[in-house]
mmCIF file of all heavy atoms in Angstrom:
data_model
loop_
_atom_site.group_PDB
_atom_site.id
_atom_site.type_symbol
_atom_site.label_atom_id
_atom_site.label_comp_id
_atom_site.label_asym_id
_atom_site.label_seq_id
_atom_site.Cartn_x
_atom_site.Cartn_y
_atom_site.Cartn_z
ATOM 1 N N VAL U 20 202.383 175.391 -31.191
ATOM 2 C CA VAL U 20 202.752 174.209 -31.979
ATOM 3 C C VAL U 20 201.574 173.216 -31.993
ATOM 4 O O VAL U 20 201.198 172.715 -33.051
ATOM 5 C CB VAL U 20 204.000 173.496 -31.368
ATOM 6 C CG1 VAL U 20 204.287 172.207 -32.075
ATOM 7 C CG2 VAL U 20 205.216 174.434 -31.414
ATOM 8 N N ILE U 21 201.041 172.948 -30.794
ATOM 9 C CA ILE U 21 199.991 171.917 -30.676
ATOM 10 C C ILE U 21 198.804 172.356 -31.514
ATOM 11 O O ILE U 21 198.210 171.527 -32.256
ATOM 12 C CB ILE U 21 199.605 171.720 -29.194
ATOM 13 C CG1 ILE U 21 200.791 171.168 -28.431
ATOM 14 C CG2 ILE U 21 198.398 170.795 -29.082
ATOM 15 C CD1 ILE U 21 200.626 171.174 -26.909
ATOM 16 N N ARG U 22 198.413 173.604 -31.433
ATOM 17 C CA ARG U 22 197.241 174.086 -32.209
ATOM 18 C C ARG U 22 197.442 173.929 -33.708
ATOM 19 O O ARG U 22 196.587 173.403 -34.410
ATOM 20 C CB ARG U 22 196.972 175.584 -31.868
ATOM 21 C CG ARG U 22 195.909 176.217 -32.720
ATOM 22 C CD ARG U 22 195.702 177.666 -32.317
ATOM 23 N NE ARG U 22 194.693 178.282 -33.195
ATOM 24 C CZ ARG U 22 195.004 178.955 -34.290
ATOM 25 N NH1 ARG U 22 196.294 179.102 -34.637
ATOM 26 N NH2 ARG U 22 194.082 179.486 -35.008
ATOM 27 N N ALA U 23 198.617 174.346 -34.184
ATOM 28 C CA ALA U 23 198.873 174.264 -35.639
ATOM 29 C C ALA U 23 198.943 172.807 -36.067
ATOM 30 O O ALA U 23 198.370 172.410 -37.131
ATOM 31 C CB ALA U 23 200.206 174.954 -35.972
ATOM 32 N N ALA U 24 199.527 171.965 -35.256
ATOM 33 C CA ALA U 24 199.605 170.518 -35.607
ATOM 34 C C ALA U 24 198.184 169.935 -35.630
ATOM 35 O O ALA U 24 197.867 169.147 -36.563
ATOM 36 C CB ALA U 24 200.472 169.789 -34.593
ATOM 37 N N PHE U 25 197.358 170.335 -34.726
ATOM 38 C CA PHE U 25 195.991 169.847 -34.673
ATOM 39 C C PHE U 25 195.271 170.212 -35.991
ATOM 40 O O PHE U 25 194.582 169.409 -36.621
ATOM 41 C CB PHE U 25 195.229 170.386 -33.455
ATOM 42 C CG PHE U 25 193.745 170.130 -33.521
ATOM 43 C CD1 PHE U 25 193.219 168.864 -33.330
ATOM 44 C CD2 PHE U 25 192.890 171.154 -33.874
ATOM 45 C CE1 PHE U 25 191.849 168.623 -33.449
ATOM 46 C CE2 PHE U 25 191.520 170.970 -34.031
ATOM 47 C CZ PHE U 25 191.008 169.684 -33.791
ATOM 48 N N ILE U 26 195.364 171.491 -36.317
ATOM 49 C CA ILE U 26 194.622 171.979 -37.516
ATOM 50 C C ILE U 26 195.108 171.245 -38.761
ATOM 51 O O ILE U 26 194.283 170.775 -39.579
ATOM 52 C CB ILE U 26 194.823 173.528 -37.679
ATOM 53 C CG1 ILE U 26 194.142 174.245 -36.487
ATOM 54 C CG2 ILE U 26 194.244 174.006 -39.000
ATOM 55 C CD1 ILE U 26 194.460 175.736 -36.439
ATOM 56 N N ARG U 27 196.418 171.087 -38.913
ATOM 57 C CA ARG U 27 196.946 170.434 -40.143
ATOM 58 C C ARG U 27 196.568 168.930 -40.147
ATOM 59 O O ARG U 27 196.181 168.402 -41.195
ATOM 60 C CB ARG U 27 198.460 170.596 -40.217
ATOM 61 C CG ARG U 27 199.093 170.129 -41.486
ATOM 62 C CD ARG U 27 198.644 170.977 -42.665
ATOM 63 N NE ARG U 27 199.155 170.415 -43.904
ATOM 64 C CZ ARG U 27 198.495 170.403 -45.061
ATOM 65 N NH1 ARG U 27 197.285 170.930 -45.122
ATOM 66 N NH2 ARG U 27 199.018 169.891 -46.152
ATOM 67 N N ALA U 28 196.663 168.330 -38.970
ATOM 68 C CA ALA U 28 196.326 166.897 -38.884
ATOM 69 C C ALA U 28 194.881 166.688 -39.263
ATOM 70 O O ALA U 28 194.524 165.817 -40.102
ATOM 71 C CB ALA U 28 196.612 166.396 -37.488
ATOM 72 N N LYS U 29 193.999 167.536 -38.728
ATOM 73 C CA LYS U 29 192.586 167.411 -39.013
ATOM 74 C C LYS U 29 192.314 167.598 -40.492
ATOM 75 O O LYS U 29 191.571 166.814 -41.109
ATOM 76 C CB LYS U 29 191.860 168.488 -38.186
ATOM 77 C CG LYS U 29 190.347 168.370 -38.274
ATOM 78 C CD LYS U 29 189.710 169.505 -37.443
ATOM 79 C CE LYS U 29 188.356 169.840 -38.026
ATOM 80 N NZ LYS U 29 187.868 171.111 -37.570
ATOM 81 N N ASN U 30 192.952 168.603 -41.081
ATOM 82 C CA ASN U 30 192.743 168.832 -42.503
ATOM 83 C C ASN U 30 193.227 167.695 -43.394
ATOM 84 O O ASN U 30 192.743 167.510 -44.498
ATOM 85 C CB ASN U 30 193.417 170.152 -42.932
ATOM 86 C CG ASN U 30 192.666 171.345 -42.372
ATOM 87 O OD1 ASN U 30 191.510 171.216 -41.853
ATOM 88 N ND2 ASN U 30 193.318 172.485 -42.312
ATOM 89 N N LEU U 31 194.174 166.955 -42.899
ATOM 90 C CA LEU U 31 194.711 165.799 -43.679
ATOM 91 C C LEU U 31 193.993 164.489 -43.286
ATOM 92 O O LEU U 31 194.382 163.402 -43.727
ATOM 93 C CB LEU U 31 196.211 165.645 -43.474
ATOM 94 C CG LEU U 31 197.104 166.738 -44.089
ATOM 95 C CD1 LEU U 31 198.520 166.593 -43.637
ATOM 96 C CD2 LEU U 31 197.032 166.709 -45.619
ATOM 97 N N GLY U 32 192.976 164.597 -42.429
ATOM 98 C CA GLY U 32 192.168 163.405 -42.091
ATOM 99 C C GLY U 32 192.717 162.604 -40.907
ATOM 100 O O GLY U 32 192.325 161.446 -40.725
ATOM 101 N N TYR U 33 193.568 163.192 -40.098
ATOM 102 C CA TYR U 33 194.090 162.460 -38.945
ATOM 103 C C TYR U 33 193.420 162.970 -37.657
ATOM 104 O O TYR U 33 192.967 164.106 -37.565
ATOM 105 C CB TYR U 33 195.592 162.720 -38.720
ATOM 106 C CG TYR U 33 196.468 162.183 -39.806
ATOM 107 C CD1 TYR U 33 196.880 162.990 -40.886
ATOM 108 C CD2 TYR U 33 196.983 160.886 -39.734
ATOM 109 C CE1 TYR U 33 197.715 162.517 -41.868
ATOM 110 C CE2 TYR U 33 197.823 160.373 -40.715
ATOM 111 C CZ TYR U 33 198.183 161.210 -41.755
ATOM 112 O OH TYR U 33 199.061 160.736 -42.741
ATOM 113 N N GLU U 34 193.469 162.073 -36.646
ATOM 114 C CA GLU U 34 193.111 162.479 -35.281
ATOM 115 C C GLU U 34 194.457 162.800 -34.621
ATOM 116 O O GLU U 34 195.426 162.066 -34.841
ATOM 117 C CB GLU U 34 192.488 161.235 -34.620
ATOM 118 C CG GLU U 34 191.771 161.436 -33.413
ATOM 119 C CD GLU U 34 190.961 160.155 -33.126
ATOM 120 O OE1 GLU U 34 191.581 159.088 -32.942
ATOM 121 O OE2 GLU U 34 189.722 160.254 -33.078
ATOM 122 N N LEU U 35 194.514 163.853 -33.789
ATOM 123 C CA LEU U 35 195.768 164.148 -33.102
ATOM 124 C C LEU U 35 195.604 163.837 -31.631
ATOM 125 O O LEU U 35 194.713 164.364 -30.936
ATOM 126 C CB LEU U 35 196.183 165.623 -33.280
ATOM 127 C CG LEU U 35 197.585 165.958 -32.752
ATOM 128 C CD1 LEU U 35 198.696 165.249 -33.519
ATOM 129 C CD2 LEU U 35 197.836 167.465 -32.815
ATOM 130 N N LEU U 36 196.460 162.936 -31.082
ATOM 131 C CA LEU U 36 196.396 162.558 -29.701
ATOM 132 C C LEU U 36 197.474 163.303 -28.934
ATOM 133 O O LEU U 36 198.676 163.268 -29.321
ATOM 134 C CB LEU U 36 196.605 161.082 -29.539
ATOM 135 C CG LEU U 36 195.755 160.113 -30.369
ATOM 136 C CD1 LEU U 36 196.066 158.651 -29.976
ATOM 137 C CD2 LEU U 36 194.274 160.414 -30.188
ATOM 138 N N GLY U 37 197.095 163.950 -27.864
ATOM 139 C CA GLY U 37 198.067 164.649 -26.991
ATOM 140 C C GLY U 37 198.524 163.686 -25.938
ATOM 141 O O GLY U 37 197.730 163.270 -25.064
ATOM 142 N N LEU U 38 199.810 163.233 -26.025
ATOM 143 C CA LEU U 38 200.307 162.263 -25.061
ATOM 144 C C LEU U 38 200.763 163.047 -23.826
ATOM 145 O O LEU U 38 201.620 163.953 -23.915
ATOM 146 C CB LEU U 38 201.477 161.501 -25.661
ATOM 147 C CG LEU U 38 201.161 160.843 -27.017
ATOM 148 C CD1 LEU U 38 202.370 160.125 -27.580
ATOM 149 C CD2 LEU U 38 199.992 159.870 -26.878
ATOM 150 N N LYS U 39 200.257 162.670 -22.653
ATOM 151 C CA LYS U 39 200.473 163.502 -21.490
ATOM 152 C C LYS U 39 201.782 163.263 -20.753
ATOM 153 O O LYS U 39 202.187 162.127 -20.565
ATOM 154 C CB LYS U 39 199.284 163.383 -20.547
ATOM 155 C CG LYS U 39 198.031 164.030 -21.192
ATOM 156 C CD LYS U 39 196.839 163.868 -20.332
ATOM 157 C CE LYS U 39 196.750 164.894 -19.257
ATOM 158 N NZ LYS U 39 195.468 164.743 -18.506
ATOM 159 N N ARG U 40 202.432 164.358 -20.373
ATOM 160 C CA ARG U 40 203.705 164.312 -19.628
ATOM 161 C C ARG U 40 204.866 163.774 -20.408
ATOM 162 O O ARG U 40 205.719 163.068 -19.880
ATOM 163 C CB ARG U 40 203.577 163.578 -18.289
ATOM 164 C CG ARG U 40 202.522 164.165 -17.354
ATOM 165 C CD ARG U 40 202.400 163.388 -16.067
ATOM 166 N NE ARG U 40 201.283 163.929 -15.349
ATOM 167 C CZ ARG U 40 199.982 163.592 -15.584
ATOM 168 N NH1 ARG U 40 199.731 162.693 -16.523
ATOM 169 N NH2 ARG U 40 199.022 164.135 -14.912
ATOM 170 N N GLY U 41 204.900 164.035 -21.687
ATOM 171 C CA GLY U 41 206.055 163.651 -22.504
ATOM 172 C C GLY U 41 206.137 162.168 -22.797
ATOM 173 O O GLY U 41 205.152 161.454 -22.799
ATOM 174 N N ILE U 42 207.371 161.725 -23.060
ATOM 175 C CA ILE U 42 207.676 160.373 -23.497
ATOM 176 C C ILE U 42 207.066 159.327 -22.548
ATOM 177 O O ILE U 42 206.693 158.240 -22.994
ATOM 178 C CB ILE U 42 209.215 160.196 -23.503
ATOM 179 C CG1 ILE U 42 209.830 160.989 -24.660
ATOM 180 C CG2 ILE U 42 209.647 158.768 -23.496
ATOM 181 C CD1 ILE U 42 209.771 160.260 -25.969
ATOM 182 N N ARG U 43 206.979 159.638 -21.296
ATOM 183 C CA ARG U 43 206.488 158.631 -20.329
ATOM 184 C C ARG U 43 205.115 158.109 -20.665
ATOM 185 O O ARG U 43 204.764 156.976 -20.314
ATOM 186 C CB ARG U 43 206.530 159.175 -18.920
ATOM 187 C CG ARG U 43 205.414 160.216 -18.627
ATOM 188 C CD ARG U 43 205.132 160.320 -17.190
ATOM 189 N NE ARG U 43 206.227 160.955 -16.470
ATOM 190 C CZ ARG U 43 206.206 161.125 -15.161
ATOM 191 N NH1 ARG U 43 205.177 160.724 -14.435
ATOM 192 N NH2 ARG U 43 207.224 161.707 -14.550
ATOM 193 N N ALA U 44 204.310 158.961 -21.360
ATOM 194 C CA ALA U 44 202.966 158.564 -21.705
ATOM 195 C C ALA U 44 202.946 157.210 -22.438
ATOM 196 O O ALA U 44 202.162 156.324 -22.202
ATOM 197 C CB ALA U 44 202.276 159.609 -22.543
#
Side-chain angles (χ1 to χ4, degrees):
V20 173
I21 297 168
R22 172 179 177 267
F25 168 75
I26 294 171
R27 188 65 186 143
K29 186 179 152 198
N30 290 344
L31 290 171
Y33 294 94
E34 195 166 62
L35 189 65
L36 307 185
L38 307 179
K39 291 177 82 176
R40 300 180 187 80
I42 288 279
R43 73 157 70 182

